[in-house]
Amino acid sequence: MTHDETRTDGHEHGRGGRRLWAAVGFVILVLAALYVAAAVYFGDRVPGDTTVGDVSVSGMTQAQARTALREGLADEAAEPVVIMVDGKERTIDPADAGLAHDYEASLEGLTGFSLNPVDLWAQATGDIHRDVEVDIDEEQLSAAVDEATKGMDTEPVEGSVALEGATVQTKKSKLGLTVQRDELTAAIAEGWPDQHQYEAPITRPEPELLPEEIDAFVEDELRPLVAGPVTVKASRPDGGNVSFEVTPEQLATAVSVTKEEGALATKVDEAKAGEAAATAASDSGKFPDARDAVVTRSGSGFDVSPSRTGLTLETKGLGAEVVEAMDKKGDERVATASATTTQPELTTQKARSTLPKETISSFTTYLPDNPVRTANIRLAARTLDGAYVAPGETFSLNQRLGERTAAKGYKQAGVIYNGRLAKDYGGGISQLSTTLFNAVFFSGARIEEFHPHSFYISRYPEGREATISWPNLDNRFTNDTGAGILINASVSGNEVTVSFSGRKAYDEIRSDKSPRRNIVEPERITDDSDKCVPQSPNPGFTVDITRSFIQNGSTVKSSSFTTVYDAADHIVCTG
C-alpha cells in the first residue's frame, strides 16, 4: 500500500467517527427532549391509579383533582359528629366545629414539574393511595364540644334516711357525671374524618353516702330499733304487775337520724322515749286517773258519786329502760317500771262531810228590756247552774261556760269594746258574771280574778261588778269556806239571781264603799259609721270597796280593792 492510499483510508475513518458521534448526540438530544417532554406532561397531571381519601383523582390536573375531592368528600364533610354521653346522644356540625378537609395538602406533590427520575417514575407508573389531610381549628372544636355537652354534667345526689311513723323512708344516693371535654376534643381531632361517632369519656363523682352504706345502715342500725313493740312491765303497789306495749310508731318518735363525719348514725332521745311510754300507758286504759267524788243536787238534798283512786306510771328513768330494750330482739324487748296509787282531791268521805247545809249568799240584778241579751244570759245561767265547787277548788266562769259562739246558741248583743258599745256573740252575760261576783263576795270565798267594766253601768253596784270576755278576762274564785259550794243560777222575769249553797264560815260579810273621787266628765262624739251604737253619757270616777268578815259581832278580817271607771262618752250616731 502506497503512502497516498494510507492517508486516504485514515481520512475516511475520521470522518466516519464524527458522523457516529453526531448520531449518538442526536439520539441523546432526542431522548432528553422526550424526557423533558414527559416530565412536562406528567408534571401537570395526577398520576394514574391515584386515590385520595378513596376519591379517584387519576390523570387529573390540580384544579380538577381539587374539585373531585371537594365533591367526593362533600357528604363526609357534612356528616354530623355524634357524641354519646352516658347513653345520651349529642351532635356537632363539623363546619361549626372547625373540622375541614385540607384539599391542597391532600394533593401536594401529586403534580408539578420534576426531572428527578424517581419522581418521574412515580408519576408515570401511578398506584398512589393517600388519606385525606384535614384542617382542624382546635379552639373552635373545643368550644363546639363545650356547647354540645352543656348541662350534661350532674352533681352527685346525697341519699337520706328518715322515719315516717315506724316506716323507714330512704332516698337513694346517685353518682354524679362529669364529661372529660379535653379528652373528647383530642379524640375527635385525632379520629375525624375516619370516625364520626365518639363515646365521651366521663368520670363519676361519688356522694358522701354510697347506696350500699345507706342500705347497711338501715338494715343493721335503724330498722331494728322500730322492728317491734317494747313491752313495759310495771309493778303495782299491791305486788301485782301491769303490762302494756309501746308500739313501733310510738318508739319512732324518739328516734332521729344524723350524719356525723360523712356517716349515718341513729340518736334515740331518752326523754322522748319516756314520753312515748307514758302515752302508751295512757292509751292502754290500765292507768286510770283518780276520780273526785261528784256532788249533785237531788231535790232538797244531794247525791254523792263515790271517788276512785288512780294508778300512775312512774316515768323517772323509764326512757333509759325503753331505749335499752329497743336495742334487743323479740321477747327480750322488755322494760321495767313501777306504778303508784294516786288519790282523788275530793274523796267520798270528804264530799259527804262537807255537803252544803244552807244558803250562804245570794245576789240579784235586774234585766233591761232586751230580749236578745236576756236570751244569752238565760243560756249562760243554765250552764252555770248546778256547778259544784269542792273545798279548796278554784272555779273559773270562762272554763265553765266555754267560748260563746253561735253554734252554742248565743246571739249577738251589746258588749263594751275599747270604751264603746259594740256587738258580739254572748253580749250581756257580763250581768251574770257581776251577779256571780257578788254571790262570791258575800259568801266569804277568796276572790282570785275579776275585771270591772271600763265604764260604770247603773244597774250594777258601784265598784262591785265583773265583766267577762273569752278567753282573757275571767271571773275566778277559790272555795276556802271549809265546805262545798253548790252554785244556783236562774233567770226569772227581769231578775238574774245567783245563790251559793254551802256552810257559812262567817256570820256576815259586809260591804262598804267610799265616796266617788277623780270625777271625769264625758265627751260628745259624732259617728257616721254603719257600725255605730248609740251610747248615753256617764262620768268616770274612782271608788274603794272594803270587804269585812264579821264573826260574833266583830270584824275578824277585811280586805279592800279600788275600782276605776272611765267616762262613758256621749255617742251620737248619724250614719
Side-chain angles (χ1 to χ4, degrees):
M1 180 181 295
T2 64
H3 178 69
D4 290 337
E5 289 176 342
T6 302
R7 290 184 60 188
T8 300
D9 291 342
H11 179 72
E12 289 295 329
H13 178 74
R15 194 166 44 182
R18 287 194 295 273
R19 284 198 298 269
L20 175 62
W21 284 110
V24 171
F26 176 75
V27 170
I28 292 172
L29 287 173
V30 171
L31 290 176
L34 290 173
Y35 186 86
V36 171
V40 170
Y41 176 80
F42 288 114
D44 193 38
R45 292 283 190 275
V46 175
D49 195 19
T50 298
T51 59
V52 177
D54 295 329
V55 176
S56 175
V57 291
S58 300
M60 297 181 185
T61 66
Q62 183 83 3
Q64 292 171 336
R66 188 184 306 109
T67 300
L69 276 182
R70 184 175 288 109
E71 292 175 353
L73 298 174
D75 289 343
E76 181 180 88
E79 182 179 350
V81 174
V82 178
I83 299 172
M84 300 299 296
V85 182
D86 194 32
K88 297 178 182 179
E89 182 179 298
R90 296 289 187 272
T91 59
I92 292 177
D93 185 341
D96 294 338
L99 300 174
H101 295 108
D102 190 339
Y103 302 115
E104 296 296 335
S106 299
L107 296 171
E108 185 176 356
L110 292 179
T111 59
F113 178 77
S114 175
L115 294 177
N116 188 321
V118 175
D119 292 339
L120 189 60
W121 177 255
Q123 288 175 326
T125 59
D127 196 21
I128 299 171
H129 304 284
R130 291 185 176 183
D131 292 330
V132 66
E133 298 292 330
V134 294
D135 180 18
I136 297 178
D137 185 329
E138 294 196 4
E139 184 175 338
Q140 190 173 345
L141 175 60
S142 178
V145 168
D146 289 347
E147 182 65 26
T149 59
K150 182 188 296 183
M152 303 194 77
D153 292 344
T154 58
E155 295 293 327
V157 175
E158 287 296 337
S160 63
V161 179
L163 282 173
E164 289 188 9
T167 303
V168 179
Q169 299 289 343
T170 60
K171 175 184 174 183
K172 292 293 186 182
S173 295
K174 294 182 180 179
L175 299 174
L177 184 147
T178 302
V179 179
Q180 300 301 308
R181 292 171 175 80
D182 290 344
E183 293 181 26
L184 176 60
T185 299
I188 296 173
E190 182 179 348
W192 192 84
D194 296 330
Q195 182 180 346
H196 283 265
Q197 183 165 319
Y198 298 85
E199 187 72 31
I202 60 174
T203 56
R204 290 286 193 176
E206 293 184 346
E208 285 188 350
L209 296 172
L210 296 177
E212 54 270 23
E213 294 174 332
I214 292 177
D215 292 341
F217 166 76
V218 168
E219 294 305 318
D220 299 340
E221 296 185 47
L222 181 58
R223 188 164 280 133
L225 295 175
V226 292
V230 166
T231 300
V232 178
K233 293 184 178 179
S235 58
R236 298 168 55 98
D238 60 7
N241 290 298
V242 56
S243 297
F244 63 93
E245 287 188 346
V246 188
T247 66
E249 289 75 17
Q250 291 169 327
L251 295 172
T253 62
V255 181
S256 59
V257 177
T258 62
K259 189 164 72 170
E260 300 173 0
E261 297 180 355
L264 292 172
T266 56
K267 181 180 178 181
V268 185
D269 190 308
E270 290 185 359
K272 290 183 178 180
E275 292 170 3
T279 299
S282 177
D283 293 345
S284 72
K286 297 179 180 181
F287 296 85
D289 294 331
R291 184 176 64 196
D292 288 342
V294 178
V295 178
T296 55
R297 190 168 44 211
S298 177
S300 59
F302 299 92
D303 286 336
V304 178
S305 297
S307 61
R308 182 188 67 191
T309 59
L311 187 66
T312 299
L313 179 69
E314 291 293 332
T315 58
K316 184 177 181 180
L318 179 58
E321 285 275 340
V322 172
V323 171
E324 184 178 348
M326 290 170 69
D327 280 329
K328 298 177 182 178
K329 298 180 180 179
D331 295 340
E332 296 179 353
R333 293 169 68 88
V334 177
T336 58
S338 61
T340 58
T341 301
T342 55
Q343 300 298 328
E345 292 186 7
L346 182 62
T347 64
T348 305
Q349 180 182 358
K350 184 177 180 180
R352 286 175 176 164
S353 65
T354 59
L355 286 175
K357 291 183 176 181
E358 58 192 330
T359 299
I360 61 173
S361 66
S362 183
F363 199 81
T364 298
T365 59
Y366 298 93
L367 295 165
D369 184 13
N370 187 326
V372 174
R373 184 177 183 277
T374 299
N376 287 336
I377 295 173
R378 183 175 284 110
L379 175 57
R382 283 199 301 267
T383 307
L384 175 62
D385 185 50
Y388 190 79
V389 187
E393 183 181 356
T394 297
F395 175 86
S396 162
L397 183 58
N398 256 342
Q399 184 177 352
R400 179 74 179 188
L401 299 182
E403 185 177 3
R404 278 67 76 184
T405 63
K408 291 181 178 179
Y410 288 101
K411 303 180 185 302
Q412 288 191 330
V415 296
I416 299 175
Y417 182 75
N418 287 338
R420 291 182 58 173
L421 290 176
K423 289 188 176 182
D424 199 1
Y425 289 103
I429 68 167
S430 286
Q431 181 159 355
L432 178 66
S433 177
T434 290
T435 310
L436 170 66
F437 176 78
N438 280 276
V440 173
F441 187 96
F442 290 107
S443 73
R446 185 168 72 243
I447 298 169
E448 298 288 359
E449 178 185 355
F450 78 103
H451 304 273
H453 289 84
S454 58
F455 54 75
Y456 175 60
I457 301 172
S458 59
R459 59 179 166 268
Y460 305 144
E462 288 185 16
R464 238 179 35 241
E465 44 95 7
T467 187
I468 188 171
S469 178
W470 178 268
N472 299 317
L473 301 182
D474 204 356
N475 183 351
R476 298 185 303 118
F477 73 93
T478 297
N479 179 10
D480 60 351
T481 64
I485 293 177
L486 178 70
I487 301 176
N488 307 282
S490 63
V491 175
S492 178
N494 69 335
E495 295 181 351
V496 182
T497 300
V498 176
S499 61
F500 283 6
S501 297
R503 299 185 186 186
K504 284 192 173 184
Y506 303 94
D507 295 339
E508 180 187 0
I509 304 296
R510 183 180 299 159
S511 176
D512 294 297
K513 178 181 70 69
S514 71
R516 294 182 179 184
R517 66 180 188 276
N518 301 331
I519 307 299
V520 179
E521 294 301 327
E523 297 180 0
R524 188 179 190 276
I525 297 175
T526 300
D527 188 347
D528 62 358
S529 70
D530 57 358
K531 294 183 179 180
C532 177
V533 177
Q535 181 172 290
S536 299
N538 226 338
F541 59 91
T542 300
V543 292
D544 299 321
I545 303 297
T546 300
R547 186 188 195 196
S548 300
F549 299 77
I550 311 300
Q551 188 75 11
N552 299 322
S554 300
T555 300
V556 295
K557 66 176 181 176
S558 64
S559 61
S560 298
F561 55 85
T562 298
T563 301
V564 178
Y565 292 111
D566 296 331
D569 293 326
H570 185 194
I571 307 298
V572 179
C573 298
T574 60

